[in-house]
Amino acid sequence: MASKFLLWTIRVLTFCIALVSVLPEVPSGQWWIMLWEFPRLQLAWALLLPLVLLAVHSWWKRPRKEHAVWLGIILAAGIWQLSHILPFTPVWQTEVPDAETHPNNAGATFKVMTANVTYTNDHYSEVLELVRREDPDLVLMLEINSEWNEGLAPLNERYAHRIGEVRGEGLGMVLWSKFPLLEQEVKYLVSERRPSIFATLDIPGIGPVRYVGIHPVPPGLRDRIARNDQTSERRDSRVRDAELMLVAREVEKDADNRWIVTGDFNDVAWSDTTQLFSDLTDLKDPRRGRRLLSTYHAQRPLWRYPIDHLFVSDGFHLADFGRQRVFGSDHFAITATLSVANKDMAKPRASEEEEEKAKEMVEEGFEDAAEHEVSTSQPD
């Protein structure tokens, strides 16, 4: 009886983990499907449990054909998860070169910080101390409401330039810059409630650099506004995906320039959407070949994912890359010190299939936003 229970435990655990491992491959934006894209590292560790139980059962009842089948499924699921994770470890080749390996670059460096402060947090002085200690040249703060705007007012004296919008419910964002802003605009790409920052920075020793700060809606987020006297629904990933594709479209239009795109993407580094964003724009992820640098959830070490991102165009090298604790926030901040290098002007073009997939994502995102009555306009 005990051996049967153990065998059924192995069967159920292995089947469930294998199922949710491949579930995100289903072409759907449903939040309960796409959320399984996030815990790939956790699922890889979870496979150790049925593996150990399988070893115990095979020792107890002697190895047989079914043991080999379940072992194969466990190994296949583990390899599948690791195929997503390993590119963000030192065993992989880096996308953004280390600055010290390129002694012939111009030597101009600057520091970027991105931090989701969590709008319900009230540790204003600690965040100000974090900015003072790190002393970044660019600071993007997410979820800036009126209280945070007042609490971070000293940054207006420290930084000569500022752009953004203060909004409640975790929707605000502000960029503080030591560099002049040649161009600046707050755009609403899909949702009329979620701003994005577009700016052109005039960086000494480097020249114009295009900058984008974003914070698209996370899948699984419950609508705060119920419609037609019904309970609020959870959002799927379509609006998020559409916003990322629209940013990709902006980068593609001006591919000859230098670009920095950063923010809380609410998407993991290895997802198909983030990878498509990288392929379309040819922007590089400093995580690749280095480490996961998971940023959320800051208070739950076993449930952390890399969802706060920094992407840079060819022509930047990385002098330093890390994360910093933001007191009271459920996110870590990410910081990067970048140096300038020669830009390769021969940008590879995205395939027609990738362009068509991005177009479909944009159309579906606007449809979803319209259903939730937050659409700004129809896509071009």
Side-chain angles (χ1 to χ4, degrees), residues 114-292:
T114 300
N116 185 326
V117 298
T118 304
Y119 72 100
T120 56
N121 180 17
D122 61 0
H123 291 263
Y124 312 120
S125 60
E126 289 91 341
V127 173
L128 285 171
E129 175 59 24
L130 171 64
V131 176
R132 186 203 63 78
R133 185 180 72 245
E134 294 298 321
D135 192 28
D137 299 288
L138 298 166
V139 187
L140 177 69
M141 295 285 189
L142 305 174
E143 302 200 9
I144 300 298
N145 56 16
S146 57
E147 291 82 7
W148 270 102
N149 186 49
E150 182 178 348
L152 297 180
L155 293 183
N156 298 330
E157 300 177 4
R158 188 180 186 91
Y159 292 87
H161 308 277
R162 165 181 163 145
I163 177 179
E165 179 164 328
V166 177
R167 294 180 66 106
E169 300 181 337
L171 302 173
M173 64 165 56
V174 176
L175 171 69
W176 285 271
S177 173
K178 292 182 180 179
F179 306 126
L181 304 179
L182 301 177
E183 298 174 345
Q184 55 182 301
E185 183 180 3
V186 174
K187 295 185 179 182
Y188 294 85
L189 298 174
V190 182
S191 170
E192 63 185 9
R193 303 179 67 227
R194 285 191 173 265
S196 298
I197 292 174
F198 286 74
T200 301
L201 311 168
D202 185 13
I203 303 179
I206 299 176
V209 174
R210 300 292 303 276
Y211 178 96
V212 183
I214 59 175
H215 186 201
V217 61
L221 179 70
R222 190 177 293 279
D223 273 345
R224 293 185 173 90
I225 302 175
R227 303 180 311 281
N228 301 325
D229 297 326
Q230 297 179 354
T231 57
S232 60
E233 301 176 351
R234 292 191 181 273
R235 305 297 301 275
D236 62 26
S237 68
R238 294 188 294 170
V239 172
R240 178 202 66 187
D241 297 346
E243 184 164 331
L244 290 174
M245 294 306 104
L246 288 172
V247 173
R249 185 179 293 177
E250 292 293 323
V251 177
E252 285 185 289
K253 289 178 182 177
D254 190 16
D256 292 339
N257 219 322
R258 299 181 190 273
W259 283 87
I260 298 172
V261 178
T262 185
D264 176 2
F265 283 33
N266 279 311
D267 196 18
V268 283
W270 50 73
S271 78
D272 288 344
T273 301
T274 300
Q275 185 58 54
L276 179 59
F277 171 84
S278 178
D279 291 342
L280 291 169
T281 60
D282 198 37
L283 297 183
K284 313 299 183 184
D285 186 350
R287 279 188 172 94
R288 284 187 173 265
R290 292 185 173 88
R291 52 184 174 140
L292 275 177

